[in-house]
Amino acid sequence: SKTISKCYVQVTGMTCASCVANIERNLRREDGIHSILVALMAGKAEVRYNPAVIHPAAIAELIRELGFGATVLENCGEGDGILELVVRGMTCASCVHKIESTLMKTNGVLYCSVALATNKAHIKYDPEAIGPRDVIQVIKDLGFTTSLVKKDRSASHLDHKQEIRQWKRSFVVSLVFCIPVMGLMIYMMVMDSQLSEAHAHHNMSSEEMEALHSSMVLEYQLLPGLSVMNFLSFLLCVPVQVFGGWHFYIQASRALRHNTANMDVLVVLATSIAFLYSFVILLVAMAEKAKVNPVTFFDTPPMLFVFISLGRWLEHVAKGKTSEALARLISLQATEATIVTLGPDNVLLSEEQVDVDLVQRGDIVKVVPGGKFPVDGRVIEGHSMVDESLITGEAMPVTKKPGNTVIAGSINQNGSLLISATHVGADTTLSQIVKLVEEAQTSKAPIQQFADKLSGYFVPFIVAVSVVTLFAWIIIGFVDFEIVEKYFLGYNKSISAAEVIIRFAFQASITVLCIACPCSLGLA
């Protein structure tokens, strides 16, 4: 018979199932190619070919001619098995040497390293030749006790509950304080417009206007220069700045320590500047015992924090949903397997319960009715119906008889089966699905990478723009005061022109900072 070799080709540029079909259809026509299997998600093609007729480089070239990128993956065979063990009973370096040298002499062990300090052994092996149980037996024979490093099957890293709670709290705090601030603002606006109407109708003198203005409850001055409105806004703003903005400050300081600027930096900058500027202006007004109340920006920070913490909260809820799907998948995996030893005529000689990670290729595994299949395999003996809906979505149970394949994670229904393990550990269908979902979550779309790159420049750019705005308006104001006068409505005639200009400039530049705040919107 013809000798058949197998090679793996990394394929880039595939976008959907039709690309896969295209590659498979065209390559099957070529001479010397026995079969080809393309995995869209992993971006890999597994090709079985006749080395007398064709070689891997030519196969990659054929794929390239179809308009995809292709490189032959060297030594990417079935993948070496990797085993992490905890070894107890080692006393000194000679024990370590004894274990390492014995294992390295063992057929099928490719690499082995034992750390005395952590009691751990890291072993690479060829699954065709040897399996984890054999390795453990070798170490036991040397007189040490050993066990598998416990894998965390609970998928705790997929849990977004804490972040969801944290952002929800942030949002609620900001909202509670934001609503009164908003109410005050709207009330002020309404009163102001009524005033200006009254002014328009009755042609009052500005003195009477002043009298009317200060008769408003909110404009009433508790101390000279400190109105009720500004005092209340200040009181409502402090808790938001502290509790609502707490996480933002932490994140921003971390970002700045690493010389990067992210959205948190912008949020912190905009809110802090608005808050401090308003606070300073209040102090100045009180020092001057001003008759007229200064214009403050205490409404900015609560509003910003409300919108942004709402955004973060929703984002984490969405992430939690995808991760939940992954956690469910992971929970389908069986934790234990029953391995049996068969005598002649498939007579059961013995059976033992082992951890599912210790199942080796070629092991005979017994699955009782109602049990989960721990590994992918082929049925040797028994008839049963199997529920594979978790993996395939097939609602009806599937009949299994000797020779049929079974999938790890599916559920055996009525008969007891003996199966021979074909794919174990990280090679089972279920592990591959979990791995793909994880990779899909971590990998970024190219446009997303581009956006991330841009956002690195976005923050410094916005800060620069707002500084330019500040100085530009100051210069314009001192050159031609009328322009500022035209745009800065409702400022008070009693304060100096210089102060008007500087206030207006600050207002403009803080506005620039705040508008750019949800980076995603700015970038979009």
Side-chain angles (χ1 to χ4, degrees):
S1 69
K2 289 185 293 183
T3 53
I4 299 287
S5 300
K6 184 157 100 177
C7 72
Y8 289 87
V9 183
Q10 182 81 47
V11 185
T12 54
M14 296 189 291
T15 51
C16 61
S18 66
C19 299
V20 172
N22 184 13
I23 295 176
E24 290 186 349
R25 194 178 59 244
N26 282 292
L27 261 72
R28 282 208 187 100
R29 294 180 189 147
E30 301 292 333
D31 281 341
I33 291 186
H34 196 262
S35 72
I36 172 166
L37 183 67
V38 181
L40 173 65
M41 297 287 189
K44 257 191 206 159
E46 179 185 312
V47 188
R48 291 175 184 273
Y49 63 100
N50 179 356
V53 183
I54 196 166
H55 53 95
I59 296 173
E61 190 48 50
L62 288 171
I63 297 176
R64 264 192 238 98
E65 279 169 14
L66 295 173
F68 302 96
T71 45
V72 178
L73 293 172
E74 301 302 329
N75 64 35
C76 176
E78 281 293 280
D80 302 330
I82 292 179
L83 189 58
E84 296 270 352
L85 297 175
V86 179
V87 182
R88 300 251 174 250
M90 297 189 290
T91 50
C92 60
S94 67
C95 300
V96 172
H97 177 71
K98 192 159 91 185
I99 295 175
E100 287 184 355
S101 56
T102 313
L103 278 175
M104 289 304 286
K105 282 183 207 144
T106 310
N107 180 28
V109 175
L110 308 170
Y111 163 85
C112 160
S113 109
V114 180
L116 179 64
T118 56
N119 284 338
K120 277 192 181 157
H122 185 87
I123 300 142
K124 270 191 185 161
Y125 61 93
D126 175 5
E128 302 275 341
I130 195 172
R133 282 208 316 288
D134 307 330
V135 173
I136 288 179
Q137 196 52 50
V138 169
I139 300 177
K140 278 202 177 125
D141 292 345
L142 291 172
F144 303 97
T145 55
T146 173
S147 61
L148 276 177
V149 173
K150 271 280 161 268
K151 275 215 209 90
D152 181 19
R153 283 214 184 78
S154 65
S156 56
H157 62 284
L158 299 174
D159 197 9
H160 288 271
K161 285 195 182 63
Q162 196 219 335
E163 280 112 327
I164 293 175
R165 260 208 315 278
Q166 155 185 321
W167 287 112
K168 186 177 177 180
R169 205 168 52 224
S170 238
F171 168 67
V172 171
V173 169
S174 309
L175 189 65
V176 165
F177 290 103
C178 170
I179 291 171
V181 174
M182 289 287 307
L184 288 176
M185 266 181 60
I186 292 167
Y187 179 68
M188 288 292 291
M189 281 174 179
V190 172
M191 293 307 280
D192 270 347
S193 62
Q194 282 182 356
L195 273 180
S196 38
E197 271 173 32
H199 195 188
H201 283 282
H202 303 297
N203 308 332
M204 289 188 215
S205 64
S206 49
E207 286 78 29
E208 290 173 286
M209 180 84 175
E210 283 302 313
L212 220 172
H213 214 280
S214 51
S215 68
M216 280 171 58
V217 182
L218 288 177
E219 286 292 331
Y220 174 71
Q221 295 197 336
L222 296 168
L223 296 166
L226 178 65
S227 67
V228 178
M229 163 81 181
N230 281 338
F231 183 61
L232 282 176
S233 304
F234 171 71
L235 282 185
L236 291 167
C237 194
V238 172
V240 176
Q241 202 66 23
V242 177
F243 299 112
W246 184 248
H247 305 296
F248 291 104
Y249 278 101
I250 295 173
Q251 300 295 107
S253 64
R254 279 182 196 154
L256 289 173
R257 270 210 298 273
H258 293 108
N259 295 332
T260 58
N262 57 5
M263 180 175 158
D264 298 312
V265 175
L266 253 197
V267 175
V268 165
L269 255 182
T271 53
S272 306
I273 290 175
F275 181 73
L276 290 173
Y277 168 77
S278 309
F279 186 53
V280 170
I281 264 198
L282 266 191
L283 292 181
V284 170
M286 285 165 70
E288 288 178 354
K289 301 206 177 340
K291 291 277 181 295
V292 177
N293 299 309
V295 177
T296 54
F297 291 109
F298 287 126
D299 52 329
T300 308
M303 306 266 303
L304 260 184
F305 282 137
V306 163
F307 286 124
I308 288 167
S309 44
L310 173 65
R312 294 278 166 98
W313 174 33
L314 294 176
E315 185 186 352
H316 280 293
V317 169
K319 272 191 200 159
K321 289 268 194 299
T322 23
S323 308
E324 203 176 296
L326 237 191
R328 283 223 191 96
L329 266 181
I330 292 174
S331 69
L332 294 180
Q333 293 171 336
T335 48
E336 298 217 305
T338 308
I339 294 179
V340 296
T341 335
L342 295 180
D345 297 336
N346 286 358
V347 183
L348 278 189
L349 296 181
S350 68
E351 55 178 73
E352 58 166 334
Q353 286 274 33
V354 298
D355 192 295
V356 72
D357 294 325
L358 289 179
V359 179
Q360 297 168 190
R361 247 190 230 179
D363 277 343
I364 311 295
V365 180
K366 174 178 161 194
V367 185
V368 295
K372 269 185 195 167
F373 288 94
V375 291
D376 293 4
R378 199 169 275 109
V379 180
I380 304 178
E381 192 177 286
H383 281 70
S384 181
M385 303 293 278
V386 174
D387 177 6
E388 291 182 350
S389 62
L390 304 161
I391 311 288
T392 59
E394 168 74 75
M396 297 295 287
V398 187
T399 316
K400 298 288 179 195
K401 51 185 192 292
N404 292 148
T405 52
V406 291
I407 309 173
S410 49
I411 297 168
N412 187 15
Q413 291 195 334
N414 48 16
S416 187
L417 292 177
L418 290 183
I419 64 165
S420 156
T422 52
H423 291 86
V424 297
D427 293 333
T428 63
T429 312
L430 191 59
S431 304
Q432 293 288 343
I433 293 175
V434 170
K435 188 170 139 217
L436 282 180
V437 177
E438 274 181 345
E439 275 172 12
Q441 278 194 331
T442 48
S443 63
K444 285 180 181 166
I447 186 78
Q448 200 179 344
Q449 283 167 349
F450 178 62
D452 285 354
K453 200 162 90 189
L454 264 189
S455 63
Y457 305 118
F458 181 72
V459 177
F461 169 72
I462 291 297
V463 174
V465 169
S466 74
V467 172
V468 170
T469 310
L470 178 69
F471 287 113
W473 275 111
I474 290 178
I475 294 164
I476 292 171
F478 283 114
V479 174
D480 183 356
F481 183 59
E482 266 150 31
I483 298 183
V484 173
E485 218 171 8
K486 188 170 121 199
Y487 288 109
F488 196 16
L489 301 169
Y491 83 92
N492 192 270
K493 301 286 188 291
S494 65
I495 53 180
S496 66
E499 196 180 337
V500 173
I501 293 165
I502 287 176
R503 276 189 197 181
F504 182 66
F506 255 98
Q507 235 169 321
S509 68
I510 288 175
T511 308
V512 170
L513 268 186
C514 295
I515 285 175
C517 251
C519 261
S520 39
L521 281 182
L523 286 170

